[in-house]
């Protein structure tokens, strides 16, 4: 595994420029998505995570992309994480390899957390070294991961309709009976959950773990979600749909790429530039769009 030296890599490693084309999709208006780039030649990309850090006094921004590179439910050891630049060029496609079926990604204090089938893999970003692999008990299909301000990690298992909690190096079952639980995001001490045709939320300060509905009506099973400010979200459905979800629960379709046979898996978001990153899974590519409001 190659160490990841964020800013130095940008200066010293040659860029492997992918073929880029404009995305083919049906796009709505107000709010809308404007296509920026479409990077091909990836290996079953499931999740994109926008990540920015300071290195030697300079800001370096990259995209981590989980690559299943095999079957989504197979412990085959061929998966990994690639690193892209924010213009769509590939910085290090083999930044990390040897995973099983890596999906959701999250970062906390210089560590990358990866939902890898039945384990959470913790990686030191600066060195690209795996620090720990922690098994989730009775898990089948870990899918997404998010971290709160205290460093507590939440992990969904879509097949088990369950959400796990990781704290103090221990994973335990935390929330049951969340049908098709998939995308997770902590925002302002609330956990948002993309599950089936719904967006749900839970107040992390409420010991009752009461789940309430934010929105309903996605035409396909929800996959990824990102907070885009003002209480609004973008939610993707793996089959090829992307929705804008208003704070009041209204939903609006932004993208339908089903006819182009491009999946829309676990999306990433750059709040500084309003850029949405969409991994296309079986399309073996990542698309970037500017959100216009």
């Amino acid at each position: 595994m190659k160490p990841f030296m964020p800013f130095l890599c940008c200066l010293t490693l040659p860029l492997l420029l992918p073929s880029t084309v404009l995305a083919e999709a049906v796009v709505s208006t107000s709010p809308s998505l404007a296509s920026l780039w479409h990077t091909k030649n990836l290996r079953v990309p499931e999740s994109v995570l926008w990540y920015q850090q300071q290195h030697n006094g300079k800001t370096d921004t990259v995209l981590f992309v989980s690559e299943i590179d095999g079957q989504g439910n197979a412990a085959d050891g061929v998966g990994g994480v690639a690193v892209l630049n924010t213009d769509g060029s590939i910085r290090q496609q083999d930044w990390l390899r040897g995973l099983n079926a890596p999906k959701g990604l999250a970062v906390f204090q210089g560590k990358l957390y990866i939902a890898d089938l039945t384990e959470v893999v913790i990686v030191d970003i600066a060195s690209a070294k795996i620090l720990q692999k922690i098994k989730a008990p009775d898990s089948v299909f870990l899918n997404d991961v998010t971290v709160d301000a205290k460093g507590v990690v939440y992990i969904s298992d879509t097949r088990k309709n369950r959400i796990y909690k990781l704290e103090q190096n221990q994973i335990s079952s935390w929330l049951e009976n969340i049908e098709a639980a998939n995308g997770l995001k902590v925002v302002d001490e609330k956990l948002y959950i993309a599950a089936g045709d719904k967006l749900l939320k839970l107040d992390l300060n409420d010991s009752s773990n009461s789940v309430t509905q934010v929105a309903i009506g996605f035409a396909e099973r929800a996959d990824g979600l990102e907070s885009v400010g003002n209480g609004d979200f973008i939610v993707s459905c793996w089959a090829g749909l992307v929705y804008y979800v208003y704070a009041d629960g209204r939903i609006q379709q932004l993208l339908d790429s089903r006819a182009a046979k491009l999946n829309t898996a676990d999306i990433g978001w750059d709040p500084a530039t309003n850029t949405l990153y969409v991994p296309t899974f079986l399309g073996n590519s990542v698309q970037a769009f500017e959100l216009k409001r």
Side-chain angles (χ1 to χ4, degrees):
M1 293 176 289
K2 298 178 181 178
F4 176 43
M5 301 174 63
F7 191 78
L8 294 180
C9 287
C10 187
L11 295 177
T12 60
L13 288 178
L15 293 181
L16 303 177
L17 292 175
S19 55
T20 57
V21 297
L22 290 179
E24 298 176 358
V26 178
V27 182
S28 68
T29 59
S30 186
S32 64
L33 296 177
S35 182
L36 298 175
W37 48 258
H38 185 173
T39 296
K40 296 186 176 182
N41 303 318
L42 297 170
R43 298 167 292 196
V44 194
E46 201 281 334
S47 181
V48 178
L49 177 67
W50 177 88
Y51 177 65
Q52 187 174 79
Q53 72 174 17
Q54 296 297 313
H55 185 78
N56 290 340
K58 297 183 179 180
T59 301
D60 185 45
T61 308
V62 298
L63 304 174
F64 289 115
V65 180
S66 61
E67 294 184 305
I68 293 175
D69 198 14
Q71 298 299 313
N73 60 352
D76 50 21
V78 301
V81 176
V83 179
L84 304 188
N85 296 301
T86 55
D87 64 358
S89 56
I90 298 175
R91 185 183 292 195
Q92 280 184 278
Q93 189 160 18
D94 294 326
W95 182 73
L96 183 73
R97 306 308 298 172
L99 302 179
N100 290 316
K103 299 178 180 70
L105 307 169
V107 166
F108 185 75
Q109 294 184 346
K111 296 176 183 177
L112 179 67
Y113 292 82
I114 307 168
D116 193 31
L117 197 58
T118 60
E119 299 175 318
V120 173
V121 178
I122 305 173
V123 181
D124 175 65
I125 292 175
S127 64
K129 300 291 186 183
I130 293 176
L131 301 175
Q132 283 181 288
K133 293 184 178 182
I134 305 176
K135 173 79 173 180
D138 190 39
S139 60
V140 174
F141 197 83
L142 300 184
N143 210 330
D144 201 14
V145 58
T146 190
V147 187
D148 69 18
K150 299 176 183 177
V152 178
V153 183
Y154 303 87
I155 315 104
S156 61
D157 189 321
T158 306
R159 303 280 172 84
K160 286 287 187 175
N161 301 321
R162 175 184 297 155
I163 296 174
Y164 291 91
K165 180 186 285 189
L166 166 60
E167 53 185 339
Q168 298 180 343
N169 296 319
Q170 297 290 326
I171 295 181
S172 59
S173 179
W174 177 63
L175 197 63
E176 301 282 349
N177 302 315
I178 305 297
E179 185 176 357
N182 195 335
L184 303 176
K185 186 66 62 175
V186 173
V187 181
D188 296 331
E189 299 187 315
K190 293 179 177 61
L191 176 65
Y192 291 82
I193 308 165
D197 65 345
K198 303 177 183 68
L199 178 61
L200 308 171
K201 74 174 178 179
L202 178 152
D203 188 337
L204 295 174
N205 294 317
D206 181 357
S207 60
S208 70
N209 288 344
S210 177
V211 176
T212 59
Q213 180 179 292
V214 176
I216 187 171
F218 309 126
E220 304 279 359
R221 275 191 165 196
D223 193 323
L225 76 155
E226 289 288 346
S227 170
V228 295
N230 301 319
D232 298 349
F233 284 84
I234 293 179
V235 174
S236 64
C237 299
W238 183 88
L241 292 170
V242 176
Y243 290 90
Y244 195 95
V245 180
Y246 293 91
D248 62 8
R250 290 176 296 131
I251 67 173
Q252 176 183 320
Q253 182 179 295
L254 291 176
L255 180 72
D256 184 351
S257 57
R258 291 175 294 183
K261 297 183 178 180
L262 290 174
N263 303 117
T264 48
D266 187 7
I267 52 179
W269 174 251
D270 176 357
T273 61
N274 288 331
T275 303
L276 182 72
Y277 302 101
V278 181
T280 67
F281 204 84
L282 296 175
N284 294 314
S285 61
V286 169
Q287 298 174 291
F289 298 91
E290 181 184 358
L291 175 67
K292 294 182 177 294
R293 289 182 278 192

